[in-house]
Amino acid sequence: MSSPESSPSQRIVKGACPHDCPDTCALRITVEGERVIKVQGQADHPSTHGALCTKVSRYAERTYHPERLLRPMKRVSAKHEAPRFEPVSWNEALADIAARLKAIAARDPEAILPYSYAGTMGLLQGESMAARFFNKLGASRLDRTICASAGAKALNATYGHRLGMHLRFFAEAKLILIWGSNSIASNLHFWTYANQAKRNGARLICIDPRKTETADKCHQHIALLPGSDGALALGLMHELIVNDWLDHDYIERHVDGFAELREKALSWPPERAAAACGIGVDELRQLARDYAQTAPAAIRLNYGMQRVRGGGNAVRLIALLPCLTGAWRHRAGGLLLSSSGWFAPHKNPQALELPELLAGRAPRTINMSTIGDDLLRPASADFGPRVEAVIVYNSNPVAVAPESPKVVAGFSRPDLFTVVLEHFMTDTADLADYVLPATTQLEHLDVHTSYGHTDVLINEAAIAPQGEAKPNTQIFRELAAAMGYTEPCFVESDEALARQAFKSSIDFEALRAQGWQSLPVPEAPFADGGFATPSGRAQAGGADYVPNYESRASSPELAARYPLAMISPPARNFLNSSFVNVKSLRDIEGEPLLEMHADDAAARGLADGSVVRVFNDRGSYRCKLSINARARPGVVNGLGVWWRKLGLDGSNVNELTHQRLTDMGQAPSFYDCLVEVAAG
Ligand SMILES: Nc1nc2c(c(=O)[nH]1)N[C@H]1C(S)=C(S)[C@@H](COP(=O)(O)OP(=O)(O)OC[C@H]3O[C@@H](n4cnc5c(=O)[nH]c(N)nc54)[C@H](O)[C@@H]3O)O[C@H]1N2
Ligand SMILES: Nc1nc2c(c(=O)[nH]1)N[C@H]1C(S)=C(S)[C@@H](COP(=O)(O)OP(=O)(O)OC[C@H]3O[C@@H](n4cnc5c(=O)[nH]c(N)nc54)[C@H](O)[C@@H]3O)O[C@H]1N2
Ligand SMILES: [Mo]
């Protein structure tokens, strides 16, 4: 569990970064007495290689933050008033919560909704005891779509699963397209491999509407319009076809539906595609030539490009590019969006979640991305009962869910009973009836998989829970007891859960001893086809460009009033809305900013550094203007998901986003959003 260090009073504990990031780093935690004094990256874990991002190297600062929630809190003000809470005992909180939930469940348990995402990616502190609890209760189920489900559905449709290149072979590529990914900010440990390739002479091309810090370090930046990636992929395919840069043998043996795709691509000559993307025709032609004529050619796709109406189809089209050129034949060729499918045969979610506790019931499912509308929806035959209670853990929906005016109105309903398990008084916690203090990653046991690499990791508890905080698992155990659930599965310990999280291919003792264990993954997974589809062939049929809901081309009347496309990608020093309250990190980010191109600012008479109002029909939000070459003309960038209450006027970018869903996977289209900006 821990090993002695040079100093006799120090111990080293093996940890794993819990955050929603493809890197899932192995942590080396130094504990002196009962206090964590250092959080570092494990030197011997391959992709972590001893380095952490700035945020997570400050993890102890987050754990020992003076504003950490250390006691259960009960609301004593009305929902429409400023939040006021008083500490209560765990017994009082749990008894009262159980009584409220029982009364609702007696009418209809589907009126109770769990709301969670990836505040921790741990398999235990995520959906283990919590899922058992809600299965036994028969609560509504939650479709967890807020981040990746368009891309996930698209990869499943194309390759049969969420599979891709091995991270380390990017270092051997000769061309890397970094597509919809600000790797230096949000996938730093991939960047190490890309940089190695660059030093070995590879060409790096960044495809992103924003000139990110990653674009700065690439040889070329292609600043396409948000949501135009599908058109770019079709334009590239047009060039591959007319110049006969295809691997006919690979296509014939390993791709279904090519004839249909060919037809479609031929209707996208470079002029048409470049116009849809807002880029130069020569830029597109040259990109096609580079991609076709450089081997091995690798694509690092990330989820940034699928947060638009056509996100799913765009991922399908891009995922087909390496199938057309045969880039998959080489271990340093192909594509990586997610590696999570590699873990599927080794994981055992049924054992953790126990779906049999549903006892034949099939509760309705509510999409987390439409929580604003769904909290405001009355009971109906289609929808089922009105939502009367929400239990939130590992998520901050009031800040991160789209169209926050509706999310705030929903959580402000005086008749809604809300319980939030948290580390801090987030925007969501501010609207709770009860806030229950949860442990951080330094205080609990967990096991982790990754969506960027292919190693399983363990996180041992380094210190005891702070104050009266408890792990999510323990809170749900105690809630189950308060509800009168007597099944033995509700008293299983975290270690017992950890031992059930994987099938026998992962040896728990070995995992514990090393801290991580690599999965056996083929070096070049699709070199000879073998996709995870029923036919073993990649599926090209049916994929097409789907234009944005909101753009100059698809909605000209709206664009006349709101001519600027707004994207709101991650801030480097935050993780979604986590860390916004860590002062040293917030100081680096400064204030909520809107980046705008100088031409757009001049057309509106706006000055750099001034306060502006960003608005559309859904709402209005004030922030600081940064006139900045990172923004292309016609597109503004509202960085990071700030806590509403730490913004200039108590709101954030999601005031402006909408709840319409992507073409596949029912995900939000955060970056498919028109706005106007005025002096504020
Ligand atoms: N530092 C930091 N790291 C993070 C996060 C964070 O908030 N901060 N978030 C984590 C999470 S939740 C996730 S899901 C992952 C991945 O998170 P992603 O959302 O994929 O984040 P990025 O890698 O920053 O990639 C987004 C990039 O896509 C660009 N983009 C926006 N719209 C389009 C478009 O239409 N087309 C193209 N081609 N590009 C577009 C943005 O400008 C941005 O540079 O990162 C994780 N890592
Ligand atoms: N406009 C806009 N909106 C976005 C995005 C965007 O790019 N633009 N990105 C979207 C994406 S990709 C995602 S993934 C979502 C993310 O949305 P969320 O999953 O809600 O992520 P966070 O904002 O990081 O909030 C996670 C919360 O979980 C808490 N937490 C962490 N660990 C634990 C624990 O062990 N127990 C408990 N009880 N709580 C814990 C943290 O304190 C934090 O407040 O946001 C989405 N929203
Ligand atoms: Mo995400």
Side-chain angles (χ1 to χ4, degrees):
M1 194 182 268
S2 60
S3 56
E5 254 265 277
S6 46
S7 157
S9 62
Q10 288 188 356
R11 304 179 282 131
I12 302 295
V13 179
K14 295 185 174 72
C17 177
H19 288 298
D20 185 354
C21 166
D23 296 13
T24 313
C25 291
L27 305 181
R28 180 180 196 271
I29 297 156
T30 309
V31 185
E32 192 165 78
E34 280 309 306
R35 201 168 172 90
V36 171
I37 56 164
K38 223 185 293 172
V39 177
Q40 294 163 290
Q42 284 283 6
D44 66 349
H45 179 248
S47 57
T48 307
H49 53 76
L52 293 182
C53 65
T54 314
K55 312 179 279 306
V56 175
S57 59
R58 309 262 170 96
Y59 199 85
E61 194 179 329
R62 191 171 186 277
T63 294
Y64 297 120
H65 195 292
E67 288 160 15
R68 210 24 227 286
L69 284 163
L70 296 174
R71 299 177 67 182
M73 305 290 275
K74 178 181 179 160
R75 181 179 208 92
V76 293
S77 60
K79 290 282 169 79
H80 66 274
E81 293 172 350
R84 271 181 297 119
F85 287 84
E86 277 176 4
V88 287
S89 71
W90 270 107
N91 281 345
E92 187 187 332
L94 291 167
D96 193 21
I97 294 167
R100 296 285 300 261
L101 295 182
K102 275 190 208 164
I104 297 168
R107 294 191 296 278
D108 190 340
E110 292 185 25
I112 301 169
L113 177 71
Y115 196 99
S116 69
Y117 199 62
T120 167
M121 301 271 293
L123 302 188
L124 307 191
Q125 307 309 332
E127 312 309 321
S128 66
M129 206 46 90
R132 292 179 180 187
F133 178 82
F134 292 112
N135 284 339
K136 170 74 186 174
L137 183 60
S140 283
R141 288 188 281 196
L142 186 73
D143 197 3
R144 293 181 172 80
T145 56
I146 203 158
C147 170
S149 61
K153 277 271 166 20
L155 281 187
N156 291 346
T158 314
Y159 297 161
H161 218 314
R162 296 183 302 286
L163 303 173
M165 282 176 62
H166 203 294
L167 198 56
R168 70 172 177 274
F169 297 129
F170 275 90
E172 298 171 10
K174 286 294 168 219
L175 174 74
I176 306 180
L177 306 187
I178 300 183
W179 197 325
S181 169
N182 183 5
S183 318
I184 292 180
S186 62
N187 187 194
L188 187 62
H189 296 77
F190 156 77
W191 177 254
T192 311
Y193 296 100
N195 211 19
Q196 225 168 304
K198 188 180 170 192
R199 281 198 303 271
N200 293 336
R203 184 171 170 77
L204 270 49
I205 303 178
C206 181
I207 305 176
D208 192 313
R210 178 169 183 254
K211 186 167 186 296
T212 60
E213 47 271 65
T214 308
D216 291 341
K217 296 269 160 58
C218 288
H219 297 95
Q220 189 186 349
H221 172 218
I222 298 182
L224 79 183
L225 289 168
S228 65
D229 304 78
L232 179 57
L234 284 164
L236 294 175
M237 286 178 190
H238 179 279
E239 291 300 280
L240 300 182
I241 293 165
V242 301
N243 292 296
D244 197 21
W245 289 327
L246 300 171
D247 184 333
H248 293 283
D249 174 61
Y250 194 92
I251 294 170
E252 204 165 295
R253 291 196 295 133
H254 305 308
V255 181
D256 275 339
F258 176 65
E260 182 196 325
L261 181 67
R262 183 177 183 280
E263 236 2 59
K264 224 170 276 165
L266 286 175
S267 70
W268 284 89
E271 293 74 15
R272 180 182 178 203
C277 299
I279 63 171
V281 180
D282 292 342
E283 224 176 344
L284 188 148
R285 282 212 178 91
Q286 187 58 44
L287 178 64
R289 181 178 299 275
D290 286 342
Y291 183 67
Q293 299 190 338
T294 320
I299 301 176
R300 180 52 168 125
L301 196 60
N302 209 348
Y303 288 106
M305 48 70 60
Q306 45 101 70
R307 307 194 201 294
V308 292
R309 181 187 185 182
N313 270 277
V315 169
R316 288 198 65 191
L317 292 165
I318 295 164
L320 287 164
L321 289 169
C323 302
L324 303 190
T325 59
W328 279 118
R329 288 183 191 274
H330 198 290
R331 69 180 188 179
L335 173 140
L336 176 63
L337 171 58
S338 170
S339 58
S340 60
W342 294 116
F343 294 91
H346 305 278
K347 277 165 63 168
N348 201 356
Q350 274 77 14
L352 292 183
E353 298 176 12
L354 296 179
E356 57 269 34
L357 289 166
L358 280 167
R361 294 167 296 180
R364 67 163 168 199
T365 299
I366 288 184
N367 185 342
M368 72 186 302
S369 302
T370 54
I371 188 68
D373 280 343
D374 289 339
L375 287 181
L376 297 173
R377 230 182 270 286
S380 71
D382 279 351
F383 180 62
R386 186 161 171 82
V387 177
E388 291 182 59
V390 188
I391 301 177
V392 180
Y393 52 104
N394 303 340
S395 185
N396 183 11
V398 170
V400 304
E403 205 173 357
S404 20
K406 289 190 175 164
V407 183
V408 171
F411 277 102
S412 303
R413 269 173 48 199
D415 61 331
L416 183 74
F417 180 64
T418 303
V419 179
V420 175
L421 284 58
E422 253 300 348
H423 300 150
F424 295 104
M425 281 311 285
T426 60
D427 292 326
T428 307
D430 278 347
L431 289 170
D433 293 276
Y434 278 98
V435 184
L436 303 178
T439 46
T440 70
Q441 190 77 342
L442 300 180
E443 302 152 74
H444 56 228
L445 175 72
D446 218 326
V447 288
H448 288 258
T449 59
S450 168
Y451 61 99
H453 61 65
T454 48
D455 305 329
V456 172
L457 290 90
I458 191 165
N459 179 77
E460 304 276 7
I463 50 170
Q466 300 295 289
E468 295 178 23
K470 296 177 197 276
N472 290 344
T473 44
Q474 182 62 18
I475 298 175
F476 283 105
R477 266 180 212 112
E478 294 184 12
L479 257 183
M483 295 289 285
Y485 301 162
T486 53
E487 287 84 348
C489 67
F490 289 111
V491 293
E492 278 182 353
S493 68
D494 279 7
E495 181 166 335
L497 291 172
R499 289 178 181 276
Q500 296 170 66
F502 298 102
K503 300 191 175 143
S504 58
S505 50
I506 304 293
D507 180 72
F508 188 73
E509 300 306 333
L511 179 62
R512 226 175 198 177
Q514 193 180 16
W516 51 275
Q517 192 178 325
S518 296
L519 299 182
V521 173
E523 286 197 354
F526 309 129
D528 194 22
F531 292 93
T533 54
S535 66
R537 294 158 68 87
Q539 298 299 307
D544 203 351
Y545 167 62
V546 177
N548 277 3
Y549 287 111
E550 300 192 352
S551 73
R552 213 169 279 227
S554 63
S555 43
E557 280 156 38
L558 191 69
R561 289 187 292 138
Y562 304 116
L564 296 167
M566 183 186 79
I567 57 171
S568 46
R572 181 169 184 177
N573 292 288
F574 301 151
L575 204 124
N576 300 319
S577 79
S578 299
F579 294 100
V580 180
N581 61 324
V582 174
K583 191 167 179 312
S584 66
L585 295 169
R586 193 166 72 244
D587 286 347
I588 307 176
E589 289 297 328
E591 292 167 288
L593 283 185
L594 187 81
E595 296 174 343
M596 182 185 271
H597 189 270
D599 294 351
D600 289 327
R604 291 166 179 76
L606 300 172
D608 186 44
S610 63
V611 172
V612 292
R613 197 165 61 85
V614 193
F615 59 99
N616 59 22
D617 287 342
R618 291 176 288 273
S620 152
Y621 151 70
R622 286 166 75 245
C623 61
K624 265 237 172 108
L625 185 72
S626 170
I627 299 178
N628 196 314
R630 298 211 179 280
R632 59 158 283 161
V635 180
V636 288
N637 313 320
L639 291 191
V641 188
W642 280 73
W643 282 17
R644 290 169 61 84
K645 59 183 165 184
L646 296 177
L648 292 190
D649 59 358
S651 63
N652 70 17
V653 278
N654 280 322
E655 202 72 9
L656 309 176
T657 53
H658 58 75
Q659 296 177 69
R660 278 171 291 182
L661 302 174
T662 51
D663 53 349
M664 301 175 75
Q666 303 208 298
S669 28
F670 288 113
Y671 304 168
D672 180 340
C673 177
L674 287 177
V675 301
E676 180 53 295
V677 181

